[in-house]
Amino acid sequence: MKKPLILLALVLTGLLAGCGKSSPKLASIQVTPVNPSVAAGLTQQFRATGTYSDSTTKDLTSTATWSSSNATVATIAAGGLATSHAQGSSTITASQDGFTGTATLQVTAPVLASVAVTPSNATIPLGTLAQFTATGTLTDGSTQDLTGTATWASSDNTIASIAAGGQATARALGGVTITATSDTTSGSTPLTVAPASLVSLAIPDGDVTIANGTSHQFAAIGIYNDGSRHGLTSQVTWGSSQTSIATISVSGHARALSPGATTITATLNLISASVNLNVTNATIAAIAVAPSSRTIAPLTRLPFTAVGTFSDASTQVLTADVDWASSNPAAATISNQSGTLGIATGVGSGATTISAAFGGVSGSVPLTVSAATLTSIAVTAATAGLASGSTLPLSARATFSDGTTQGVDTAATWTSSDDTIATVDGSGLVTGLAPGPVTITADLSGVTGSADLTVESVTDLQISPAALSIAQSTTGQFNATATLSDASTQNVTGSVIWTSSAPAVAIMSSVSGEKGDAVAVAPGVSTITAEIAGLVTTAQLTVTSATLDSIAITPANPDIALGTSQKFKAVGTFSDGTTQNLTGQVSWSSSDVSVAIINEFGVAASAATGTTTISAAFNGVSATTVLTVH
């Protein structure tokens, strides 16, 4: 028994000795990192490490109590995650069991965290400009406009280039990525250059009134999202609401069948425009034909116009409705075919009477064909540079044996020596296709004239004027000039793509015969753009709220000989003291069409001796002058 008791005593003694030894105590806390620096808006993770009396360490990050000496600079959450707010410094403290540890957090100014480029995923038409904006978001959540300081880039400058300041230019169809970079931070967005899309249709004729049995040619104009307008007469679908009153052809030619009213509609891509066509029961009273008493050479052509006066005193152009005839076809013939209606062609020496008949009434004028023979043809310009992708109108002027000269642009047969370099149409309009030399020839009855052209690349493009101010509801004219690779220049007004940055302010016309025209819609400012061969240039258009005060017609009270014509000019004076040429915008009229007929360009052709009052009207303002034909 003695030995087991001794063993028990030894065990109890050991146990008592163990119970008397104490646990290690926390001696200090260290916070790391000791002196970090972060930009405002960023976070910093701190850690707390406890050192104990037995020299052991323990991670106290999750159990310590954390605090910041300056909460406006930085706050800190349980777990040691500090969030910086403003530039400055703050002491970060971790506390536990009466011990503390500190670190100093330096908060610097916020830095750029990201860049956003807007508009995003934009689609713009060819030849237009697009302004991009770069917005930087800083680490503190604030934003900053970086548009003027960022470095801009396009992934393909041949499709769309972008200049300092973020203005992109659409040069070809396709897609690119537009990028803005500030320091080392970038943002980007896709940009698509697409064909312009139709926004609305217009029928510029407005409501029309015609007599029963006559016709009227309507036109359709499309307004596009690039601020341009294009002729769409042959592309729209035409309709008449009352076909028993008037029908309308696929080309927009309406013919009156009975008195009444009908609605004429043009539709394209689910977009429509409508006007009213009123058909009266007025009957034809007289027909005037112009020009009168003219002399032309054989083989040449002369267009005639017929204007009818009706029983209600209204007048109407009947050129397309009358039956044309020549009393002596051996001297001259006159066409009744579509496209050449009313155009007389000299055949041989002699005299003839050109007549126009409608509804049992006719009018006529004398026409003389001389005995002169064609001796030569001069084509102008005789030599010229031609921009690839542009058009250049040539003129053919014939000289006859009697010393007279006459334009034969439409009478001559035009050919190109190389249709792969340039083509030419029946009126002498040349289109450049590829670089190289080409000869364009005009032939009339075996007599020829030619022009030597060189199709070249374009090196520069300019618009004139660089800045233009016009009144609301009027039209201003821009011109585009290209510099070619040989340093020569060419007027390419009719070939460039014209656009307007603000269609609500102004629309640029691409209608044949009106290219370069800016149609003022409402007061404001628009950037006008011209594009050809990837070159783009701009001009500034200001539309004012000035109103028309008066119109002056020049020349005043002219006196001309029978068989000649008179060109008139209309200049408007506006409420702000400015003046503007309105010749092609006013409505011209002649009080006595049997004396002279005046067209929409202000050219009066004499029909008989006498006097007539020439009027020009625009926006409710009118002016008159007297034309005497002797």
Side-chain angles (χ1 to χ4, degrees), residues 156-560:
D156 189 340
N157 285 318
T158 63
I159 293 175
S161 60
I162 191 161
Q167 187 176 70
T169 301
R171 300 183 183 278
L173 301 181
V176 297
T177 298
I178 298 297
T179 302
T181 302
S182 183
D183 295 328
T184 59
T185 305
S186 298
S188 62
T189 187
L191 170 65
T192 301
V193 179
S197 58
L198 183 65
V199 175
S200 63
L201 283 173
I203 301 176
D205 311 74
D207 293 340
V208 173
T209 298
I210 61 176
N212 188 27
T214 66
S215 65
H216 179 80
Q217 177 63 54
F218 284 95
I221 302 294
I223 310 300
Y224 288 76
N225 64 336
D226 62 357
S228 65
R229 66 177 194 168
H230 299 261
L232 299 176
T233 303
S234 62
Q235 299 176 47
V236 299
T237 299
W238 291 97
S240 170
S241 64
Q242 299 292 331
T243 54
S244 62
I245 293 173
T247 58
I248 189 164
S249 71
V250 293
S251 61
H253 193 76
R255 179 161 297 280
L257 302 179
S258 64
T262 184
T263 300
I264 300 298
T265 303
T267 304
L268 182 65
N269 296 339
L270 302 180
I271 298 174
S272 297
S274 299
V275 295
N276 296 319
L277 175 62
N278 300 305
V279 179
T280 71
N281 58 5
T283 55
I284 188 71
I287 295 176
V289 179
S292 177
S293 304
R294 292 286 295 271
T295 298
I296 63 174
L299 307 176
T300 64
R301 295 177 178 178
L302 180 66
F304 285 87
T305 300
V307 175
T309 300
F310 290 82
S311 57
D312 59 0
S314 65
T315 59
Q316 188 178 328
V317 175
L318 299 177
T319 304
D321 299 313
V322 298
D323 289 322
W324 292 98
S326 168
S327 64
N328 183 6
T333 59
I334 190 162
S335 174
N336 281 291
Q337 301 300 312
S338 176
T340 56
L341 277 168
I343 297 179
T345 302
V347 177
S349 176
T352 186
T353 298
I354 300 298
S355 62
F358 176 80
V361 176
S362 66
S364 63
V365 291
L367 173 66
T368 301
V369 180
S370 72
T373 56
L374 179 63
T375 59
S376 65
I377 294 176
V379 176
T380 54
T383 60
L386 173 64
S388 182
S390 74
T391 59
L392 179 67
L394 297 182
S395 175
R397 192 156 195 88
T399 299
F400 295 87
S401 58
D402 61 359
T404 61
T405 63
Q406 191 171 336
V408 290
D409 297 352
T410 58
T413 300
W414 294 88
T415 57
S416 168
S417 63
D418 192 335
D419 284 338
T420 65
I421 294 176
T423 58
V424 61
D425 71 5
S427 63
L429 184 67
V430 182
T431 300
L433 301 178
V438 65
T439 299
I440 304 298
T441 302
D443 182 301
L444 183 60
S445 192
V447 179
T448 62
S450 63
D452 294 322
L453 307 180
T454 302
V455 180
E456 305 173 48
S457 59
V458 181
T459 59
D460 187 45
L461 182 65
Q462 296 296 325
I463 297 177
S464 61
L468 178 65
S469 179
I470 59 176
Q472 182 179 355
S473 300
T474 67
T475 299
Q477 174 68 43
F478 286 97
N479 290 289
T481 301
T483 300
L484 307 183
S485 55
D486 67 351
S488 64
T489 60
Q490 179 194 346
N491 186 325
V492 291
T493 303
S495 304
V496 299
I497 297 173
W498 291 100
T499 59
S500 167
S501 66
V505 173
I507 300 168
M508 290 303 297
S509 180
S510 290
V511 178
S512 178
E514 300 177 3
K515 292 183 179 180
D517 283 359
V519 182
V521 179
V525 177
S526 178
T527 299
I528 303 303
T529 303
E531 185 273 335
I532 189 172
L535 293 176
V536 177
T537 189
T538 62
Q540 199 80 352
L541 175 66
T542 301
V543 177
T544 72
S545 58
T547 55
L548 183 62
D549 284 342
S550 63
I551 296 174
I553 299 176
T554 55
N557 304 317
D559 189 325
I560 64 174

